[in-house]
Amino acid sequence: YCPQVPQERAESIAADAQLAVSGQNTSNIYLLTGPEPTRNWRSLTSEIVDLLVAADISAVVFLGALLADAPHTRPINVFTSSENADVRTAMDIERSTYEGPTGILSVIAEACENTGIVTVSLWASVPHYVHHSPSPKATLALIDRLEELVDVTIPRGDLITESSEWEASIDSLAANDEEMAGYIAALEEARDETTGAPISGEALAREFENFLRERDSHAD
């Protein structure tokens, strides 16, 4: 979030992303997207923080996804956390209790907080048994939550249709795999028993550890 970003800059960002972002707050938004770098994290982080300070950006929202024990047939959980105590109090959210290998977002978040720029992180829990394909359903969940935080309207494009197709394709796979279908049914039962209970920082930590293990095993 940036209180002094020129309207033309916001429109340029939206055009680059092929989004027609609307609302009263569109001139206050910057978007930074890209793959996680494999090296030079400190240099990149320093450059990003310098840009944030130069643009007078006062808060940053990080978006991410992790593999979790979650059924694809249920709404995607989005865990909201912050390293800033005032933000946690104002939003009634938790601080992540995760301890272990980290990613570039955590490094940037720490640098932002040390500079006086508040941060919020949104993590979507994606079913680990479909890690091989992007999840438009998770993207939709992140957009829904992001809209609440930054007070803008983000068009969904084909995401709603793609989300339905994504879910249907997994249903089709499960229909031909008795073991997979049984596993999904067990996840659905566990999820339904806890419907309405927010995901905790401890649960997020477990899911993130599972995500890192899955990523490392596929990298090998």
Side-chain angles (χ1 to χ4, degrees):
Y1 169 72
C2 174
Q4 296 181 4
V5 178
Q7 176 71 31
E8 59 270 18
R9 175 59 179 155
E11 291 175 351
S12 174
I13 294 172
D16 290 343
Q18 297 182 331
L19 296 173
V21 179
S22 61
Q24 299 299 314
N25 198 34
T26 56
S27 62
N28 299 331
I29 305 297
Y30 270 119
L31 173 65
L32 174 63
T33 182
E36 182 173 73
T38 57
R39 59 182 181 176
N40 297 330
W41 281 16
R42 290 182 180 177
S43 298
L44 175 62
T45 298
S46 179
E47 290 183 17
I48 290 175
V49 171
D50 286 345
L51 288 171
L52 298 178
V53 172
D56 197 23
I57 291 175
S58 59
V60 176
V61 180
F62 297 103
L63 305 179
L66 52 87
L67 301 179
D69 293 328
H72 70 283
T73 53
R74 300 297 187 265
I76 298 290
N77 270 330
V78 175
F79 177 73
T80 306
S81 66
S82 176
E83 293 300 305
N84 188 283
D86 292 336
V87 172
R88 292 197 300 271
T89 300
M91 297 181 63
D92 191 24
I93 59 176
E94 297 181 54
R95 180 179 184 180
S96 174
T97 59
Y98 170 74
E99 295 180 356
T102 191
I104 187 65
L105 296 187
S106 296
V107 176
I108 297 174
E110 181 180 28
C112 286
E113 290 290 347
N114 290 338
T115 309
I117 301 172
V118 301
T119 63
V120 177
S121 297
L122 307 181
W123 288 93
S125 298
V126 179
H128 67 85
Y129 53 88
V130 286
H131 63 269
H132 56 279
S133 63
S135 173
K137 189 172 182 177
T139 302
L140 280 172
L142 285 170
I143 288 176
D144 288 344
R145 186 69 177 113
L146 180 62
E147 282 187 340
E148 296 175 9
L149 295 182
V150 300
D151 191 27
V152 296
T153 300
I154 303 173
R156 303 308 193 262
D158 295 327
L159 278 174
I160 296 177
T161 299
E162 292 172 355
S163 178
S164 297
E165 293 174 348
W166 174 82
E167 190 168 326
S169 68
I170 302 171
D171 288 341
S172 179
L173 288 174
N176 297 310
D177 188 327
E178 185 175 343
E179 183 177 352
M180 181 180 181
Y183 178 66
I184 293 173
L187 291 179
E188 289 173 337
E189 182 178 357
R191 174 64 181 276
D192 292 344
E193 290 177 353
T194 58
T195 296
I199 185 171
S200 67
E202 183 178 352
L204 177 73
R206 290 196 300 269
E207 291 184 355
F208 197 47
E209 288 169 349
N210 290 336
F211 162 69
L212 291 172
R213 284 195 292 269
E214 287 277 349
R215 184 184 67 176
D216 292 342
S217 66
H218 289 292
D220 295 338

